[in-house]
Amino acid sequence: MKITKLTPKQDVLWRIYLTFALMGFIGILIMGRIASIQYFEGSQLREKAEQEHIALKDVKAPRGNILADDGSLLATSLPYFKVHWDTKVVPRDTFDKYVDTLATCLATYVYTDKTPGLCRQELINARDSSRRYHPILPNVSYILLQKIKEFPIFSMGDRLKSGLIVEQMAKRQYPFKMLAHRTIGYSRVVQTANGPDTLSVGLERSFDDVLAGEQGKQYMQRLSKDLWVPVDDISKIEPRAGQDIVTTIDVNIQDVTERALLESLQQYEGEHGCAIVMDVKTGAIKAIANIGFNKERTEFWENYNYAVGERTEPGSTFKLASIMALMEDGYVKPTDTVNLNEGRWQFYDETMEDASYHGLRLTTVGKAFEISSNVGIAKLTHKYYNKSKEGQSQFIQRLSDMVLTQSTNVDIDGEREPYIKDPNNSDWSGITIPWMSIGYESELTPLQMLTFYSAVANGGQMMKPQIVTEIRSYGSVVKKIPPKVVKRRIASEATIQAATDMLKRVVASPKGTAHSIYTPRYDIAGKTGTAIMNYKAHKQKGEAKRYRGSFAGFFPADNPAYACVVVITNPRTGFYGGRVAAPVFRKIADYCYSLSLGSHKALNADEAVYTDATLPRLPVGQKEDLNYIMKELNLPFADSSATPWAVGMIRNDSINLRSRNVQKDVVPNVVGMGLKDALFLLENNRLRVRVLGVGKVKSQSVPAGRSIQSVQTITLVLG
């Protein structure tokens, strides 16, 4: 066989071709591998990469505080920490060396219900299974966290050295629990079909952009599909804490309001209720209580903002708007006459009746309003507004002039628009005006009704309901939110004054529907309301009536400071607004009035305190105390007592202190004494005492002079 010898040029070319061929082959292999990774192995490799992926993730900022008007915390965020341990980080020999000590520390400071042996076994099991996220404790305080960081192994440094994983969290706390709970609201993460979402209500929602702050950034490592843990304790971008908001809520008035409302709901077995207190000059909401049964109907709780979100037929509290419209148009005066027809009248095919029989025919408009006559108010509006389309529109326009057709736009989410019928609507009928005038066929929220009453109290100037006055950052005021005037005058001065006088008579007159809350200490102006919730179903299907009782008003009537509305829904007993709602108003008013010293009448403002030479009734007590009282009050007196105990006797125009004998082992006479002195004497004589009532001792169940040996318990009646 003949071998052809390659020339140098051919040898070089051959080598070049071979090199190119090899490079082309390698390129084909690389391209094939790329295609394989991209189209065949890509999903598996991506999933594997995600198992160890490190990314820059959002870090939630501390949420701002919600404060009461005096700076008390209504809502705040407190830090806590989740502590886990990556068991794969620490070498085996280090783990074996310190596991016993670590187990002892955990049993002593963290798991006080576990033994060191059990803790040791759990750590060994976690290490053997190579857990990357072994839980230590889900809710750790800052102080305990510092202690945990001193434990063996955990003290070796950051997560990459010790395996200790610390996640800072924030827990929203509401120090006053149910107090204004629904108004304050909440913001929490909930799981939905589309993943986690934030659910928020109340001020937490309305001011979320202020309270939320700005998120930070931190490197996080994925340990499993949905588990991310921080790489270290230092954020790449620190979160910026949310700002604080200062509300108008007065925690003391809020507390009194909620207690009074709850007592009425419990006493009359109401389904739910609300009460709002507003400063008439500024529109500041000082208290807003919403109480109803929880989902299980086992206890009452603030579970819905009825004051803002529940739009209902207001009932007779709406009569104030109707009578003001009639007076503003010059159709009636309080002294004009109206025929009540004994409380029953036919409007087309519907019969209207007054709530209770009064037997009146001809009476004044003011008297009809005072006794809350449905027939009286409905006949007047029917006469002057219901004869033509123009008249009907005129009535609705008057309601619009009094801003009853607009929302209040309060800074609480969920307010419903008022529903006031339009004469051009298809559901308008001949009976709409009569029934609307007494609080049916229209719907308002309690807050909208209160805003109207507050405007009347404020001389006709309507203020926007205000719940937040300031935004603060680290204690410094960032923004002030001043009171806002909605309308300078909703009616003429004469109409406002006449309306106020009629509202005062509702309470002051013995025949007024709210006379039960009359007090001589200060004047209350207000109106009761009782609406049948299922009026049509009752008329058409015979359903049992379901009531909503309410009361709206203001105090002190001559110089109003606060307006208040109370609504009790579906009470099983009581029913009427004057019975179930008005007493709640009175309790709130008494407390607010006690705080407003500037509103109190001077003792000598009208008449002399003492008339006809009458001196105040004096107590019985220790002589030293009575002497001190007489001197401090600068009252003329003579002390002729010869015992440590004395009784004041009136003699002409002076006071004489006489002896009251108290003998050992004999039941003393404690009538006239204050409870403190009476208890001192009786309990020192080894007697058990039962007390009924409040005030001074009016009577005692065991007469004075009986031997102590024959008595064990004595009952004192105070009054």
Side-chain angles (χ1 to χ4, degrees):
M1 181 178 179
K2 185 178 180 179
I3 299 175
T4 304
K5 186 177 181 180
L6 297 175
T7 65
K9 181 178 180 180
Q10 290 175 325
D11 185 55
V12 170
L13 288 174
W14 177 83
R15 293 175 184 274
I16 291 173
Y17 294 151
L18 179 61
T19 301
F20 274 114
L22 289 173
M23 290 177 65
F25 179 71
I26 293 172
I28 292 171
L29 290 177
I30 292 173
M31 294 299 293
R33 184 58 178 159
I34 291 173
S36 176
I37 291 173
Q38 181 71 26
Y39 299 107
F40 301 101
E41 303 176 35
S43 59
Q44 297 178 357
L45 293 174
R46 279 192 293 271
E47 185 177 350
K48 183 177 180 181
E50 286 178 351
Q51 299 296 320
E52 298 293 334
H53 185 59
I54 293 179
L56 199 59
K57 307 288 283 187
D58 290 333
V59 177
K60 209 168 185 180
R63 198 166 178 82
N65 300 320
I66 299 178
L67 308 173
D69 64 349
D70 63 351
S72 301
L73 283 171
L74 298 176
T76 188
S77 295
L78 298 179
Y80 73 100
F81 303 88
K82 288 183 177 180
V83 180
H84 291 76
W85 183 43
D86 186 347
T87 64
K88 295 176 67 176
V89 171
V90 180
R92 185 74 203 194
D93 57 343
T94 303
F95 174 81
D96 292 339
K97 181 178 180 180
Y98 293 108
V99 65
D100 291 344
T101 312
L102 177 58
T104 301
C105 290
L106 288 172
T108 304
Y109 297 103
V110 180
Y111 308 124
T112 55
D113 58 338
K114 295 181 181 180
T115 64
L118 179 57
C119 290
R120 179 180 184 275
Q121 190 59 52
E122 289 178 349
L123 291 171
I124 292 173
N125 292 342
R127 170 73 190 192
D128 291 343
S129 60
S130 298
R131 289 183 190 168
R132 303 296 308 276
Y133 202 62
H134 176 65
I136 300 298
L137 208 61
N139 191 352
V140 178
S141 67
Y142 178 79
I143 295 175
L144 181 56
L145 175 63
Q146 301 312 307
K147 176 67 70 175
I148 291 174
K149 286 183 175 181
E150 296 174 357
F151 292 174
I153 299 179
F154 297 164
S155 62
M156 295 173 62
D158 59 21
R159 190 184 75 81
L160 299 178
K161 296 178 181 178
S162 66
L164 190 66
I165 302 170
V166 177
E167 295 178 72
Q168 181 172 337
M169 313 294 286
K171 183 180 293 184
R172 202 66 167 162
Q173 296 289 331
Y174 302 93
F176 289 98
K177 304 303 179 184
M178 190 173 78
L179 199 78
H181 174 72
R182 188 66 187 196
T183 301
I184 297 164
Y186 54 80
S187 180
R188 62 173 70 120
V189 177
V190 295
Q191 293 297 326
T192 67
N194 298 322
D197 192 13
T198 300
L199 173 66
S200 55
V201 299
L203 292 175
E204 294 275 21
R205 176 170 179 167
S206 300
F207 288 84
D208 183 67
D209 56 337
V210 174
L211 296 167
E214 297 179 8
Q215 292 183 335
K217 296 287 186 179
Q218 186 174 28
Y219 282 111
M220 307 280 281
Q221 181 180 11
R222 187 194 293 271
L223 296 185
S224 63
K225 184 177 181 181
D226 298 316
L227 180 60
W228 291 84
V229 298
V231 173
D232 51 44
D233 296 335
I234 302 175
S235 299
K236 182 73 174 177
I237 301 174
E238 288 294 330
R240 184 176 179 181
Q243 296 174 325
D244 304 334
I245 61 174
V246 180
T247 71
T248 58
I249 298 294
D250 182 309
V251 291
N252 295 312
I253 297 177
Q254 179 74 33
D255 182 53
V256 170
T257 301
E258 290 198 359
R259 288 177 183 273
L261 180 63
L262 179 60
E263 287 171 4
S264 183
L265 286 168
Q266 292 172 333
Q267 179 180 356
Y268 297 107
E269 302 179 59
E271 183 178 291
H272 63 259
C274 68
I276 322 167
V277 182
M278 181 186 291
D279 185 316
V280 301
K281 299 292 192 298
T282 64
I285 296 173
K286 309 309 292 182
I288 178 167
N290 299 278
I291 301 178
F293 273 121
N294 60 3
K295 291 181 180 180
E296 295 76 24
R297 296 187 66 82
T298 56
E299 63 177 350
F300 285 105
W301 188 253
E302 284 226 357
N303 50 21
Y304 182 74
N305 200 330
Y306 303 104
V308 174
E310 186 176 50
R311 188 184 69 184
T312 61
E313 292 177 317
S316 293
T317 54
F318 194 83
K319 289 174 182 174
L320 177 63
S322 301
I323 204 71
M324 284 178 62
L326 288 162
M327 291 191 295
E328 193 71 359
D329 281 324
Y331 292 140
V332 301
K333 299 187 297 294
T335 54
D336 289 346
T337 301
V338 61
N339 188 348
L340 304 187
N341 199 51
E342 297 186 355
R344 185 181 177 90
W345 193 256
Q346 187 85 14
F347 293 97
Y348 301 103
D349 57 346
E350 290 285 341
T351 301
M352 181 180 290
E353 295 179 347
D354 286 347
S356 58
Y357 179 76
H358 47 69
L360 293 176
R361 286 188 175 273
L362 292 179
T363 189
T364 64
V365 171
K367 186 69 174 181
F369 185 84
E370 176 186 312
I371 65 173
S372 196
S373 170
N374 295 330
V375 170
I377 304 301
K379 285 183 69 176
L380 290 171
T381 53
H382 177 68
K383 176 181 178 180
Y384 293 109
Y385 292 117
N386 210 23
K387 300 303 182 182
S388 65
K389 184 74 72 175
E390 291 74 16
Q392 296 166 351
S393 297
Q394 182 183 356
F395 180 68
I396 300 303
Q397 183 58 49
R398 279 298 175 195
L399 299 182
S400 178
D401 292 342
M402 291 183 278
V403 202
L404 285 166
T405 58
Q406 301 175 26
S407 297
T408 67
N409 295 316
V410 67
D411 289 326
I412 305 173
D413 194 63
E415 181 183 15
R416 297 191 64 189
E417 292 275 347
Y419 171 67
I420 302 292
K421 282 187 178 181
D422 188 291
N424 296 315
N425 287 357
S426 58
D427 58 352
W428 186 277
S429 70
I431 64 169
T432 296
I433 286 284
W435 257 259
M436 183 185 291
S437 70
I438 64 170
Y440 291 94
E441 299 213 21
S442 58
E443 294 181 353
L444 297 168
T445 68
L447 181 61
Q448 290 158 3
M449 181 58 71
L450 176 62
T451 304
F452 168 62
Y453 271 77
S454 182
V456 174
N458 197 29
Q461 179 170 272
M462 180 174 286
M463 305 298 296
K464 176 185 175 181
Q466 185 178 22
I467 192 70
V468 174
T469 57
E470 289 181 0
I471 297 174
R472 295 179 182 174
S473 180
Y474 299 103
S476 300
V477 178
V478 175
K479 180 181 179 182
K480 280 187 171 292
I481 305 173
K484 182 179 179 181
V485 177
V486 175
K487 191 171 184 179
R488 291 292 177 186
R489 183 166 291 281
I490 64 169
S492 67
E493 185 176 346
T495 296
I496 294 294
Q497 186 57 55
T500 301
D501 292 340
M502 285 193 289
L503 290 170
K504 289 168 63 176
R505 293 292 299 166
V506 170
V507 179
S509 171
K511 296 293 185 180
T513 54
H515 186 66
S516 62
I517 65 169
Y518 170 76
T519 172
R521 291 187 296 141
Y522 60 95
D523 292 329
I524 296 174
K527 183 71 187 75
T528 56
T530 306
I532 301 174
M533 298 164 57
N534 58 339
Y535 181 80
K536 290 184 178 179
H538 167 70
K539 291 283 287 185
Q540 298 170 3
K541 302 178 183 179
E543 287 186 4
K545 293 180 180 178
R546 299 173 71 240
Y547 292 90
R548 180 179 289 108
S550 61
F551 186 87
F554 47 88
F555 59 91
D558 294 330
N559 184 24
Y562 298 105
C564 176
V565 66
V566 179
V567 181
I568 305 290
T569 298
N570 197 24
R572 295 186 179 180
T573 60
F575 310 134
Y576 298 109
R579 184 173 179 184
V580 300
V584 178
F585 180 100
R586 170 66 189 277
K587 290 176 183 178
I588 298 167
D590 280 351
Y591 177 79
C592 293
Y593 183 73
S594 70
L595 298 180
S596 306
L597 297 179
S599 302
H600 292 198
K601 293 181 180 179
L603 292 177
N604 59 350
D606 301 318
E607 301 177 1
V609 178
Y610 306 127
T611 59
D612 299 327
T614 300
L615 290 171
R617 184 164 62 97
L618 294 175
V620 181
Q622 295 192 48
K623 181 172 68 173
E624 290 183 5
D625 293 343
L626 296 181
N627 271 271
Y628 177 79
I629 293 172
M630 299 300 113
K631 292 175 182 177
E632 286 294 312
L633 295 176
N634 198 26
L635 293 174
F637 75 101
D639 185 0
S640 60
S641 63
T643 61
W645 297 87
V647 56
M649 307 293 291
I650 308 299
R651 289 292 181 267
N652 297 323
D653 60 349
S654 64
I655 302 168
N656 191 8
L657 299 183
R658 298 291 183 86
S659 299
R660 173 161 286 193
N661 294 318
V662 177
Q663 301 177 12
K664 189 177 181 181
D665 297 328
V666 173
V667 175
N669 180 8
V670 296
V671 174
M673 290 187 179
L675 182 59
K676 181 182 74 171
D677 289 336
L679 289 175
F680 175 81
L681 285 175
L682 295 172
E683 291 183 346
N684 276 320
N685 275 298
R686 304 178 301 281
L687 291 173
R688 284 199 289 267
V689 182
R690 291 180 66 245
V691 179
L692 302 175
V694 294
K696 300 174 185 177
V697 178
K698 290 177 62 177
S699 64
Q700 56 189 75
S701 62
V702 180
R706 181 177 293 184
S707 171
I708 292 291
Q709 306 299 326
S710 62
V711 182
Q712 290 185 337
T713 303
I714 184 170
T715 300
L716 303 181
V717 178
L718 310 184

